[in-house]
Amino acid sequence: MKASKLIVFVLVSGIVSLVNVMSAQAEEQEATAMRVEVKCYVELAGGSETISLWKIEPSSLAALPDVIIGHKANIIGGQSSKKKGTIYRVKQCILAKDEFSSPIARAMDNNMLR
C-alpha cells in the first residue's frame, strides 16, 4: 500500500512539474513574440550615418529615438565595418519591414547584411 501511494505521489509531482515547465516556456515565447524588429537611421558622433537595429515592444517605438541616443551602434560599410560609434542623433525609426523616407537611408538599408 505504501509503495502504491509513493508511486502515485511521484507521478503527480512529475506531472505538476511538467505543467509548470511548459507554462514557463509558453510565457517566455509569448514575451518574445510581443517584440518587434525596428531599424533606425542614425547619425553617430563625428558625423557618419548608419542603420541601427533593435528589438522592442511595440509600445516603445515612439520613445525609442530618445532612448537610444548615447548607445553604441555598428558602423556599416567600407573599411570600418567592425567598429562602433556612439549615436548622436536619431533621424528616423521605423518597423524593419518598412522603408525609410530618406533615399540615403534606403540605400544603406539595402546594402546592409542581416
Side-chain angles (χ1 to χ4, degrees), residues 4 26 55 77 97 99-100 104 114:
S4 63
K55 278 194 176 186
K97 64 181 180 180
E99 285 194 4
F100 288 108
I104 296 171
R114 294 191 184 131

Side-chain angles (χ1 to χ4, degrees), residues 21-93:
V21 168
M22 290 175 60
S23 175
Q25 287 177 342
E27 288 176 11
E28 183 179 318
Q29 287 175 347
E30 186 177 310
T32 302
M34 296 173 93
R35 298 174 74 85
V36 294
E37 292 184 13
V38 175
K39 57 188 177 184
C40 296
Y41 176 42
V42 299
E43 180 181 336
L44 303 174
S48 61
E49 297 173 333
T50 191
I51 306 293
S52 179
L53 303 176
W54 301 86
K55 278 194 176 186
I56 61 167
E57 293 178 7
S59 60
S60 302
L61 181 58
L64 186 63
D66 296 327
V67 172
I68 65 174
I69 291 176
H71 281 78
K72 297 288 184 183
N74 291 328
I75 300 171
I76 60 172
Q79 298 171 343
S80 59
S81 63
K82 296 204 179 200
K83 294 184 181 178
K84 291 189 177 232
T86 302
I87 297 174
Y88 172 72
R89 183 171 63 148
V90 180
K91 296 186 175 191
Q92 185 181 14
C93 285

